[in-house]
Amino acid sequence: MRPILLRGARVLDPANGRDEVADLLFAGGLVKAVGRGLGVPDGAEILDGTGLVAAPGLVDLHAHLREPGREDVETIATGARAAAAGGFTSVCAMPNTDPVTDNQAAVGFIVRQAGLAGFARVYPIGAVSVGQKGEQLAEFGELVAAGAVAVSDDGRAVATAHLMRTALEYARTFDIPVIDHCEDVTLSHGGAMHEGLTSTRLGLKGIPRSAEDVVVARDIALAELTGGHVHFAHVSTAGAVAMIREAKARGLRVSAEVTPHHFTLTDAACEGYETNAKMNPPLREAADVAALQAALADGTIDCIATDHAPHHYDAKEAEFDNAPFGVVGLETALALALTELVGPGVLTLPQLVERMSARPAAVAHLPGGSLRPGDPADVVVFAPSAEWTVDPSRFFSKSRNTPFGGRRLRGVVQWTIVGGRVVHAAGDRPDAPNRSAR
Amino acid sequence: MSGALGKDLLGLEHLSADQIRLILDTAEPFKEVSERAIKKVPALRGKTIVNLFFEASTRTRISFEFAEKRLSADTVNVAASGSSVVKGETLVDTARNLEAMRIDMVVMRHGSSGAAKFLADRIVSSVINAGDGKHEHPTQGLLDLLTIRDHRPIAGTKVCIVGDVLHSRVARSNIWGLLKLGAEVAVCGPQSLLPLGIEALGVRVFRRVEEAIAWADVINVLRLQLERMQTGYIPSVREYYRVFGVTMERLERAPRDLLIMHPGPMNRGVEIDSRVADGPHSVILNQVTNGVAVRMAVLYLLAGGNPELAEAAKGAPDR
């Protein structure tokens, strides 16, 4: 593998307080040097970073890569390739696969597939309960030994308060977060979108904010009881934000993520029974979007995660009630954040980089998020102001279910570098996916 | 074949007041056809219509079928049971197959809100929504408007919809139609059966049926689905009747005579007292009669019929 010298980019490394135009040298899979006027080692590939931002590779704590079970809509390889195209160098794979990732063999399979694919790093998340059935705890020790970095029953909440309590207690031994999808199914049952005026007009059963809020409240009480680390997946309501803010002020070990669609869209996107705007938790209202953005700015919400959820075209081409929840997100997350958060001044560019790299890495104790010499050479290089139009037919993901098709966004990934190797370059096309891998 | 209403009739929310009035006005001459000895006019001769009912329906399906036959259309009825739907066919494929048979119109009843729009977006033929989930039932809304208009001007009339508004497509179509034609609209029922934020549509909310009766000129009583008890929305039928039933005792205390409506089928002794349903102020059977005329008007207009010629389109009465 040739060394790479990235010259003259704006190096944005918030974890180390760096924001300056400099050169970056990668060799042996690691960051070798950062500084101005670095010499060119023998045989090095030179990348011209003029006008570009070089930042720690993005880290996604929440993606559904669908393998094993639904390889027709995504595989670990295509998901990891889509991640690379979106500037992500690490992506965490949720365990609601078929079969469920609830044992060491299943975790090992994901690690192996990701290694073979060789794009973004893939970190498995194990199930909290066997089969995600909400009854018996999965073997966290074996999951972690095989490579799991967190546990979650995502797709649903950890079923009972007692199970959540024991999961938080047991997870302390391994120092992993318990990631909870907060949804009281007795309140959300049969719901297809946010409960509000739009659901009333469309005649769709609503999912009230309280379906999320009551479980967030439960988990905060249990974090206090156990001292365990709860990470709140895809926060969608102003009420949840207020409770998390208060819990953090009390020093509890809670962290939280928000998805690009939740800080960008409202339930109005469901008008016309648009199934690509059907997700769980549902798109809420303008006041919730404002609260989520403010929470990202003040640090109440730690990070941005995609909840990348591929679905087959046929599945979304259905009556709204019958369409599945979820949208793909790996390839639009950075540009949505740059356009919707940095553009209007909700976050500064360094804050955004931190909330998409160092902070999520810290939540799950992952390597990455830092560009000090000796760190893994996981880097995203992007043009922060370059405009493009979202064209789902050009996604590297196998699936196209996005509500952002045709949207004009700012921010183009120029290169994604994982372990010192360029795994994505601007202009790569899905029909020739390995061109940039060298 | 798009006329004054456009290609489809999916709901009343997106129709203008003028379009709604046009349908009601067009229905007037068609009322008379059903009074003839030979109840048939040639207005839709050669048109092919499929009645696609994914949910059980007696009144609406028969009403559409009479409307179509009295206009001389060729009709086919498809019920969900015994059709390809139970064999797992998707709505997209059902739509494409219908399209391939070169039909002119589809009348569809479906359990999912938005299903009518879904179909209309994917086929060239006209789609008439005969009820989609909890969304709209526009021809029911129209026949309710026509029935009120037979008795009093709609503008300024106070109409209260009583019952399970949350799950009711009839309520939504009524609310849109009445508001557009200048009526005052209220809803009344247990809060667990009223949709969140309904006031924002411009609707009053009464929590007690006595207050609704004291306020209203017209009471439109919704059917209470008995399954609402099992799902925990109300405690029991007995209690519902006791607290929200439209009874003779309650009506006798009203300051004025009320028009009593019900979209059917009725649960006598649950949401409505038999003496009220069969009483002098009930127009429940007039609603059914008007249903045929309104559906004839909708079919005629969607087929591109000229509203001014509706009278002439009927042909000479057969005596």
Side-chain angles (χ1 to χ4, degrees):
Chain A
M1 190 166 52
R2 299 164 65 194
I4 294 175
L5 180 66
L6 175 66
R7 272 184 166 160
R10 175 182 173 192
V11 178
L12 250 181
D13 181 12
N16 299 298
R18 187 187 294 274
D19 181 359
E20 59 177 353
V21 174
D23 300 340
L24 275 163
L25 179 64
F26 313 119
L30 304 176
V31 177
K32 199 79 181 167
V34 192
R36 296 185 194 204
L38 296 182
V40 186
D42 283 350
E45 178 178 3
I46 296 175
L47 302 177
D48 180 5
T50 309
L52 303 175
V53 171
L58 308 182
V59 176
D60 186 8
L61 288 179
H62 195 144
H64 300 272
L65 302 185
R66 303 300 189 210
E67 185 181 358
R70 286 304 303 270
E71 292 84 352
D72 58 325
V73 299
E74 199 78 288
T75 63
I76 290 165
T78 60
R81 183 63 186 87
F88 290 93
T89 54
S90 295
V91 54
C92 296
M94 279 294 176
N96 58 341
T97 45
D98 183 15
V100 170
T101 312
D102 63 359
N103 61 78
Q104 57 183 344
V107 170
F109 169 78
I110 293 169
V111 170
R112 207 157 51 245
Q113 292 295 90
L116 288 172
F119 299 113
R121 302 177 197 271
V122 177
Y123 295 102
I125 295 171
V128 169
S129 62
V130 174
Q132 292 193 310
K133 289 195 168 81
E135 292 159 6
Q136 184 187 344
L137 278 184
E139 293 161 330
F140 293 3
E142 290 193 355
L143 294 172
V144 169
V149 296
V151 288
S152 179
D153 273 354
D154 186 61
R156 63 194 76 167
V158 175
T160 66
H162 172 70
L163 185 69
M164 186 64 180
R165 174 192 176 161
T166 53
L168 284 167
E169 288 171 336
Y170 191 54
R172 292 201 67 177
T173 298
F174 311 101
D175 200 19
I176 53 171
V178 178
I179 303 177
D180 206 10
H181 161 125
C182 295
E183 175 185 359
D184 182 323
V185 291
T186 66
L187 285 170
S188 64
H189 180 75
M193 66 173 291
H194 170 67
E195 182 173 354
L197 188 55
T198 306
S199 68
T200 291
R201 284 183 33 249
L202 294 177
L204 292 168
K205 176 144 193 224
I207 300 172
R209 291 185 181 91
S210 52
E212 178 166 332
D213 296 350
V214 297
V215 179
V216 170
R218 175 196 83 173
D219 287 356
I220 288 172
L222 296 172
E224 183 164 23
L225 174 68
T226 62
H229 175 187
V230 184
H231 178 73
F232 293 105
H234 44 51
V235 174
S236 78
T237 71
V241 163
M243 287 186 278
I244 294 165
R245 184 175 288 128
E246 190 264 351
K248 284 192 163 184
R250 287 196 289 133
L252 302 181
R253 291 178 69 203
V254 298
S255 57
E257 68 191 32
V258 62
T259 72
H261 43 275
H262 286 112
F263 67 64
T264 304
L265 299 174
T266 67
D267 60 346
C270 299
E271 287 287 350
Y273 302 94
E274 175 51 61
T275 56
N276 279 327
K278 181 177 178 180
M279 54 273 281
N280 188 14
L283 299 171
R284 303 285 183 188
E285 296 179 25
D288 300 287
V289 172
L292 293 168
Q293 293 191 355
L296 259 179
D298 72 13
T300 299
I301 290 179
D302 297 78
C303 58
I304 294 168
T306 64
D307 196 5
H308 178 79
H311 288 291
H312 199 276
Y313 167 81
D314 282 344
K316 284 285 192 181
E317 179 75 353
E319 306 89 308
F320 200 89
D321 278 335
N322 295 338
F325 292 104
V327 293
V328 292
L330 286 168
E331 294 171 73
T332 49
L334 175 62
L336 281 166
L338 286 166
T339 309
E340 300 289 334
L341 300 177
V342 176
V346 176
L347 295 181
T348 64
L349 188 54
Q351 284 176 323
L352 175 66
V353 165
E354 194 204 14
R355 283 149 177 75
M356 294 187 80
S357 59
R359 293 289 284 276
V363 166
H365 313 294
L366 304 177
S370 165
L371 293 178
R372 267 186 318 197
D375 286 334
D378 290 4
V379 186
V380 58
V381 184
F382 60 97
S385 304
E387 293 201 4
W388 61 294
T389 302
V390 179
D391 176 3
S393 73
R394 296 186 60 169
F395 282 168
F396 285 87
S397 169
K398 277 193 172 186
S399 292
R400 310 272 174 264
N401 49 305
T402 174
F404 298 111
R407 199 164 169 123
R408 197 90 184 134
L409 297 177
R410 284 194 306 185
V412 172
V413 174
Q414 184 65 39
W415 295 292
T416 304
I417 299 169
V418 174
R421 206 166 56 92
V422 175
V423 296
H424 174 79
D428 281 3
R429 293 292 300 264
D431 40 27
N434 288 314
R435 196 164 59 88
S436 64
R438 51 198 100 177
Chain B
M1 49 189 237
S2 91
L5 300 183
K7 180 173 90 74
D8 313 295
L9 179 68
L10 305 180
L12 300 190
E13 180 180 0
H14 298 294
L15 289 189
S16 68
D18 282 342
Q19 287 173 312
I20 293 172
R21 276 188 215 103
L22 174 71
I23 298 170
L24 301 183
D25 293 345
T26 307
E28 293 292 349
F30 283 125
K31 282 182 182 174
E32 184 264 340
V33 174
S34 298
E35 305 301 327
R36 297 181 189 178
I38 296 174
K39 300 173 177 58
K40 211 169 184 78
V41 297
L44 292 192
R45 194 153 58 195
K47 300 283 184 195
T48 317
I49 303 177
V50 176
N51 298 315
L52 191 58
F53 278 69
F54 291 95
E55 277 187 346
S57 160
T58 305
R59 184 178 332 251
T60 303
R61 186 177 54 75
I62 292 176
S63 180
F64 265 110
E65 204 175 335
F66 275 137
E68 291 153 4
K69 292 195 159 141
R70 287 173 192 179
L71 292 170
S72 305
D74 295 317
T75 66
V76 176
N77 294 322
V78 182
S81 57
S83 78
S84 50
V85 179
V86 290
K87 298 174 191 163
E89 187 173 79
T90 64
L91 189 53
V92 185
D93 286 333
T94 305
R96 288 185 185 140
N97 280 281
L98 289 172
E99 191 76 348
M101 288 184 235
R102 305 289 182 260
I103 51 163
D104 297 293
M105 290 193 212
V106 181
V107 175
M108 184 169 77
R109 158 78 52 100
H110 196 286
S112 289
S113 300
K117 175 172 164 43
F118 182 90
L119 185 69
D121 287 346
R122 283 160 183 79
I123 65 176
V124 182
S125 322
S126 292
V127 173
I128 299 176
N129 181 6
D132 64 327
K134 301 182 282 289
H135 177 227
E136 284 223 43
H137 189 354
T139 57
Q140 179 72 44
L142 290 164
L143 73 89
D144 289 345
L145 290 170
L146 187 63
T147 306
I148 295 172
R149 203 177 74 164
D150 286 346
H151 291 85
R152 51 187 302 145
I154 292 171
T157 289
K158 293 173 173 168
V159 181
C160 186
I161 302 164
V162 178
D164 182 3
V165 178
L166 180 64
H167 298 95
S168 176
R169 50 194 172 215
V170 175
R172 284 169 180 75
S173 287
N174 263 273
I175 289 168
W176 295 122
L178 289 163
L179 290 175
K180 282 170 197 281
L181 296 194
E184 288 183 57
V185 184
V187 296
C188 175
Q191 188 172 332
S192 56
L193 293 177
L194 299 180
L196 200 70
I198 185 94
E199 298 91 339
L201 300 182
V203 167
R204 290 181 69 137
V205 173
F206 290 108
R207 293 187 200 287
R208 302 195 65 88
V209 73
E210 294 83 0
E211 293 168 11
I213 287 170
W215 172 84
D217 301 309
V218 178
I219 296 280
N220 197 343
V221 189
L222 298 175
R223 171 181 171 78
L224 185 77
Q225 303 281 348
L226 300 179
E227 75 200 46
R228 302 298 170 227
M229 273 180 304
Q230 281 98 51
T231 42
Y233 286 96
I234 54 163
S236 71
V237 163
R238 199 173 70 99
E239 167 130 327
Y240 184 86
Y241 182 67
R242 193 188 179 97
V243 182
F244 292 99
V246 176
T247 61
M248 201 51 113
E249 290 71 25
R250 288 187 167 125
L251 287 181
E252 277 164 358
R253 272 183 245 126
R256 62 189 82 80
D257 285 343
L258 273 70
L259 220 54
I260 303 296
M261 304 174 73
H262 192 299
M266 281 186 283
N267 293 307
R268 290 169 178 266
V270 178
E271 69 266 1
I272 191 166
D273 181 348
S274 280
R275 286 180 298 157
V276 174
D278 303 329
H281 304 300
S282 165
V283 291
I284 294 169
L285 293 175
N286 307 46
Q287 289 172 271
V288 178
T289 307
N290 279 340
V292 178
V294 151
R295 289 174 177 122
M296 288 171 81
V298 168
L299 292 161
Y300 175 74
L301 291 171
L302 285 180
N306 185 333
E308 282 85 55
L309 299 180
E311 187 67 43
K314 291 168 15 180
D318 292 291
R319 303 267 179 208

